[in-house]
């Protein structure tokens, strides 16, 4: 899947690296109000081609896991909204470090993924290489981080691997900047029209 990393998303140019983590999640803010509710997460998953079960589980897992973290000082909400503006507060451990603490994209950390783990093809990861990436990033006793990283990467692999079982570098880059989701939605819509 070839992806243009300068694609515009909801009127914003993606080539600005200062708020990449926000851009990564904005696709799921389906009504552009700065809040992502489980129903919007579900709709976003469906828009990129995930099935009903995966979309439902993803919506619950993501919103329950990240809502409180992105709403500091606010009371519990049974609606589990995620505040896009505070998404950097939901950054979990045991990840690649491609997003820094402020949600900025760190190119050297992105390249490190492939330098360290892409053994079969220099610009793609196999399933085994992805498993090695996950194991190497585990922080001691960070079970929530392990689970979050595992879920994110396995979902990406499941939805975006090619016919040879490879997860390509341009796809991974596009998921980090958020442009992948819009591309997947457009591809799904064009298949429906055919």
């Amino acid at each position: 899947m070839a992806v243009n990393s300068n694609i515009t998303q909801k009127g914003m140019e993606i080539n600005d690296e200062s708020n990449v983590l926000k851009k990564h999640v904005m696709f799921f803010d389906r009504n552009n109000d700065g809040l992502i509710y489980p129903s919007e997460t579900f709709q976003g998953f469906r828009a990129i081609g995930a099935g009903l079960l995966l979309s439902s589980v993803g919506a619950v897992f993501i919103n329950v896991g990240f809502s409180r973290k992105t709403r500091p000082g606010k009371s519990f909400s049974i609606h589990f909204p995620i505040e896009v503006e505070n998404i950097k507060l939901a950054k979990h451990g045991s990840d690649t470090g491609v997003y820094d603490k402020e949600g900025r994209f760190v190119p050297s950390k992105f390249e490190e993924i492939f330098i360290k783990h892409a053994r079969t093809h220099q610009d793609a990861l196999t399933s085994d290489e992805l498993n090695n990436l996950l194991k190497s990033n585990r922080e001691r006793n960070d079970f929530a981080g392990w689970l979050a990283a595992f879920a994110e990467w396995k979902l990406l692999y499941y939805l975006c691997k090619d016919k040879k079982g490879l997860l390509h570098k341009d796809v991974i880059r596009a998921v980090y900047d958020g442009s992948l989701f819009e591309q997947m939605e457009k591809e799904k819509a064009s298949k429906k029209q055919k």
Side-chain angles (χ1 to χ4, degrees), residues 2 4 6 36 52 65 78 84 109 113 129 135 143 149 173:
N4 178 359
N6 287 328
I36 303 169
L52 287 171
I78 191 72
V84 174
K109 289 290 191 180
I113 292 171
E129 291 165 348
K135 286 177 188 172
F143 303 111
R173 176 61 175 96

Side-chain angles (χ1 to χ4, degrees), residues 3-167:
V3 178
N4 178 359
S5 63
N6 287 328
I7 203 167
T8 59
Q9 183 175 14
K10 304 206 184 211
M12 295 180 70
E13 190 67 28
I14 298 300
N15 62 9
D16 172 21
E17 304 300 335
S18 62
N19 293 307
V20 177
L21 183 55
K22 274 195 245 180
K23 292 172 190 167
H24 170 79
V25 300
M26 284 175 59
F27 173 80
F28 295 93
D29 183 9
R30 305 303 280 178
N31 64 1
N32 298 312
D33 67 353
L35 298 171
I36 303 169
Y37 291 94
S39 61
E40 291 177 291
T41 305
F42 175 85
Q43 291 166 15
F45 272 104
R46 295 293 290 152
I48 62 174
L52 287 171
L53 181 61
L54 180 57
S55 299
S56 299
V57 171
V60 170
F61 179 79
I62 290 168
N63 284 77
V64 169
F66 296 150
S67 179
R68 289 286 291 191
K69 293 178 181 180
T70 65
R71 303 177 68 245
K74 295 183 179 169
S75 61
F76 170 81
S77 171
I78 191 72
H79 301 289
F80 296 103
I82 295 171
E83 291 190 14
V84 174
E85 188 63 33
N86 295 326
I87 194 64
K88 68 182 181 184
L89 301 175
K91 191 172 166 341
H92 58 80
S94 298
D95 70 356
T96 59
V98 173
Y99 294 127
D100 70 8
K101 291 178 185 176
E102 298 301 315
R104 295 176 296 229
F105 182 79
V106 181
S108 62
K109 289 290 191 180
F110 177 72
E111 292 300 328
E112 192 175 286
I113 292 171
F114 299 92
I115 292 168
K116 287 184 174 180
H117 303 286
R119 300 288 177 231
T120 310
H121 299 82
Q122 71 181 41
D123 288 337
L125 297 174
T126 65
S127 178
D128 288 342
E129 291 165 348
L130 179 57
N131 289 337
N132 289 333
L133 166 72
L134 290 169
K135 286 177 188 172
S136 72
N137 286 332
R138 286 184 186 164
E139 296 172 11
R140 181 179 227 130
N141 298 321
D142 178 29
F143 303 111
W146 296 0
L147 179 61
F150 179 85
E152 291 166 354
W153 280 99
K154 290 297 185 171
L155 178 62
L156 177 62
Y157 184 81
Y158 172 75
L159 292 173
C160 297
K161 69 180 184 269
D162 70 9
K163 291 176 184 175
K164 295 179 181 178
L166 298 173
L167 185 59

Side-chain angles (χ1 to χ4, degrees), residues 173-186:
R173 176 61 175 96
V175 81
Y176 277 112
D177 69 24
S179 63
L180 178 66
F181 304 132
E182 284 206 355
Q183 181 69 25
M184 291 174 74
E185 182 177 34
K186 287 176 186 173

